[in-house]
Amino acid sequence: MTQERPLKHLTQHWTRWWSIRPLFKSTLALRRLVGEEDARLNAINLLELRPGQRVLNFGCGLGANLSPLHATGAEIVAVDLDKECVEAARTEIRARNMTHVQALTLAEAQELLEPESFDAVLCTGAFTSAPDLEQALYLVWRWLKPKGLVGAVDYTLVLKPERRLLFAPFLAATYFCAGSSPSNLWELGLGLFCDTLFSEPLQGGVSRVVLARKRPGSVMEPPKPRVEIPVCPLSPSPRPVGRRGL
């Protein structure tokens, strides 16, 4: 499969998926009940981090991963698109007196971080909360060393039978609006430059943990600037100019 086809697939569906992100965010309490925290810790353990390694926490949010990452002794760089999240992460770093940990905005990271400068990347919820999945995948590829590891935890709609009824309305709305499950999209994207070593749903199946290794020699082109595609136009399309009565 060529790179062009899956990236086109990601672009077409991700705009629709992003439009229903508020619906997905409303399930936060349910996701916590079905193993999100366990999945985060599992991903960190799978990376088998050691002192001296450099680790990128891509999409760090409010800094929930920083304490367990700091305990590994690795050098941590936390990056997020949201400036308020980065400030919250910096507050967490200062409050816990974390050494060898820094938090950067995405704009700062793109200016300061060198290509292929990280031994591992941890992404927990970063892909399904990214407004541009192609850009997120490209940056992970760019900053990760060849044979470096990606530990990803994100959300999947492949549920155990006993959970399907509970999540049925959300599942139906997602497939209808996005055209595909968010899990299928981000795992497909990782497959463009990584080989999957481990992939397993956690507890209820809402969270999936994936361990992947970057393929040496893999190539990704910077994504083109996105053109926003309105999902539900607010006004009807104008009538075409033509003969009277048409």
Side-chain angles (χ1 to χ4, degrees), residues 91-158:
T91 300
E92 178 78 3
I93 292 169
R94 291 191 294 267
R96 295 181 178 271
N97 194 27
M98 296 182 189
T99 57
H100 55 263
V101 180
Q102 62 175 319
L104 303 172
T105 64
L106 185 59
E108 292 169 339
Q110 289 178 291
E111 182 178 347
L112 298 175
L113 299 182
E114 296 292 330
E116 298 185 350
S117 57
F118 289 92
D119 300 287
V121 176
L122 177 69
C123 304
T124 57
F127 292 131
T128 49
S129 61
D132 189 338
L133 179 59
E134 284 185 62
Q135 178 73 0
L137 291 165
Y138 170 75
L139 290 175
V140 169
W141 168 84
R142 183 174 187 268
W143 287 326
L144 185 63
K145 294 179 180 179
K147 296 186 178 181
L149 295 177
V150 178
V153 177
D154 235 309
Y155 310 114
T156 175
L157 300 182
V158 183

Side-chain angles (χ1 to χ4, degrees), residues 39 41 54 61 92 101 158 181 190 196-197 209 215 223 226 238:
L41 295 176
R54 294 193 78 212
E92 178 78 3
V101 180
V158 183
S181 87
L190 273 182
T196 300
L197 305 178
V209 60
R215 286 192 295 271
R226 290 190 59 187

Side-chain angles (χ1 to χ4, degrees), residues 35-97:
E36 180 179 324
E37 294 303 317
D38 290 342
R40 288 172 179 266
L41 295 176
N42 194 12
I44 294 172
N45 291 334
L46 286 171
L47 290 174
E48 298 182 344
L49 302 174
R50 302 183 304 274
Q53 289 186 313
R54 294 193 78 212
V55 183
L56 175 67
N57 185 189
F58 187 80
C60 65
L62 301 177
N65 296 319
L66 295 184
S67 184
L69 283 173
H70 179 256
T72 67
E75 179 186 344
I76 313 301
V77 178
V79 173
D80 202 279
L81 178 66
D82 192 299
K83 293 181 180 180
E84 293 183 4
C85 286
V86 173
E87 286 303 318
R90 288 170 176 167
T91 300
E92 178 78 3
I93 292 169
R94 291 191 294 267
R96 295 181 178 271
N97 194 27

Side-chain angles (χ1 to χ4, degrees), residues 129-208:
S129 61
D132 189 338
L133 179 59
E134 284 185 62
Q135 178 73 0
L137 291 165
Y138 170 75
L139 290 175
V140 169
W141 168 84
R142 183 174 187 268
W143 287 326
L144 185 63
K145 294 179 180 179
K147 296 186 178 181
L149 295 177
V150 178
V153 177
D154 235 309
Y155 310 114
T156 175
L157 300 182
V158 183
L159 303 179
K160 292 183 178 180
E162 63 271 19
R163 302 278 182 171
R164 288 174 186 165
L165 184 60
L166 175 64
F167 284 86
F170 170 63
L171 185 147
T174 302
Y175 274 86
F176 176 77
C177 296
S180 182
S181 87
S183 174
N184 290 344
L185 294 178
W186 67 265
E187 288 194 71
L188 173 66
L190 273 182
L192 296 176
F193 61 93
C194 285
D195 295 317
T196 300
L197 305 178
F198 177 87
S199 178
E200 185 174 287
L202 267 289
Q203 292 188 21
V206 176
S207 295
R208 176 177 289 273

